[in-house]
Amino acid sequence: MEKIKDGIINNKLYENSYPKVLWILKEGNVSEEDKNMERNICNEIDNGQHIANALSIPTFRKMIYATFGIFKPEIDWSEIPHANKPETYDIFRQVGYINVNKLPGNEKSDYHVIKQAYNKYEKILITQIKEMNPNIIIFGGTLQFFTYEACEEIGFDIRKVEKQTSNNNTCTFYKISQEKLLINANHPAYFKVSDKNYWAGIKDAVLNWKEN
């Protein structure tokens, strides 16, 4: 199997954005026939390859809407263009996006596989995060794999701050400092949290951080 390259989707957009946002998910869902292909997930997103499935794949759809909510919090849910519209999709192009497991995965992730992948790639993950130097990290079901020591090394030591919960109870968050926020959310593919509630929970965490 070939590793999937990940990182910053568009370097120029990321460098010019504030806050700098990094999503950390589990692994790429890849069909069996494509597992030996060389893939760069960030290039695929940046060149618009995933516009066609931005609505049909829950992971992309919720990430796009939640990212839109971070950068356009003044826009109400009912007014957000669909995830496959350029004005919505393009906002997602300014973030970072990495997976714990660097190898292709399946439709459903296995906890033990992701845990083993974390142990294998921990140093690579820490290096990636430190080089990206994000203001906001959104762990999509992945904070459970990161040790306290790793969180401290990347500058997001959650042991020193209070854990808070979004108004709709869909995510928890840690206001590390005025420049750093850690959000612990469900994986965006988690079907029990609607697109709207996923967007609202993350937006609430970010607004709470900005106001304090």
Side-chain angles (χ1 to χ4, degrees):
M1 288 191 294
E2 292 286 339
K3 287 183 180 179
I4 298 177
K5 294 181 180 179
D6 53 23
I8 296 172
I9 293 174
N10 181 296
N11 285 288
K12 184 176 180 180
L13 292 177
Y14 183 82
E15 287 303 318
N16 291 328
S17 70
Y18 185 84
K20 290 179 171 60
V21 178
L22 170 63
W23 287 83
I24 303 179
L25 299 190
K26 296 177 182 178
E27 60 186 359
N29 177 7
V30 179
S31 60
E32 287 298 325
E33 59 268 25
D34 291 341
K35 287 187 176 180
N36 291 318
M37 291 177 55
E38 289 188 5
R39 295 188 60 186
N40 185 319
I41 190 66
C42 292
N43 284 351
E44 290 176 9
I45 295 170
D46 191 36
N47 65 27
Q49 188 172 329
H50 291 285
I51 290 178
N53 55 34
L55 284 178
S56 60
I57 298 180
T59 298
F60 284 136
R61 191 176 66 239
K62 287 182 183 174
M63 290 172 75
I64 290 168
Y65 287 140
T67 300
F68 189 92
I70 293 172
F71 291 102
K72 300 283 187 180
E74 73 280 4
I75 297 181
D76 188 71
W77 172 255
S78 62
E79 299 173 339
I80 299 175
H82 287 158
N84 61 349
K85 298 297 183 181
E87 55 265 46
T88 310
Y89 184 91
D90 283 350
I91 286 180
F92 185 56
R93 292 173 57 234
Q94 65 186 297
V95 305
Y97 172 24
I98 63 176
N99 286 309
V100 171
N101 186 7
K102 302 305 180 184
L103 293 174
N106 300 308
E107 185 175 352
K108 188 174 182 180
S109 297
D110 182 298
Y111 172 87
H112 299 288
V113 170
I114 306 302
K115 180 62 177 175
Q116 289 175 355
Y118 174 81
N119 292 337
K120 180 178 180 180
Y121 298 118
E122 183 183 49
K123 290 183 179 179
I124 292 174
L125 291 163
I126 289 173
T127 298
Q128 282 186 299
I129 297 167
K130 290 172 72 173
E131 288 179 349
M132 292 184 199
N133 192 27
N135 302 108
I136 299 174
I137 299 180
I138 304 171
F139 288 87
T142 50
L143 182 58
Q144 60 185 316
F145 301 106
F146 281 71
T147 64
Y148 286 125
E149 291 74 19
C151 289
E152 181 179 12
E153 188 169 350
I154 62 175
F156 286 77
D157 191 349
I158 61 177
R159 293 172 294 187
K160 298 179 180 179
V161 293
E162 176 188 1
K163 179 171 77 171
Q164 300 184 54
T165 304
S166 64
N167 289 335
N168 64 1
N169 296 311
T170 57
C171 67
T172 56
F173 58 95
Y174 303 81
K175 295 187 285 187
I176 306 298
S177 69
Q178 291 183 335
E179 292 296 317
K180 292 183 178 182
L181 171 69
L182 186 153
I183 300 175
N184 183 24
N186 292 112
H187 190 282
Y190 183 58
F191 70 96
K192 290 187 178 181
V193 180
S194 68
D195 294 5
K196 180 179 180 180
N197 284 336
Y198 200 83
W199 159 84
I202 288 176
K203 186 176 80 165
D204 175 63
V206 174
L207 288 176
N208 186 298
W209 170 63
K210 287 182 176 179
E211 292 169 357
N212 295 278

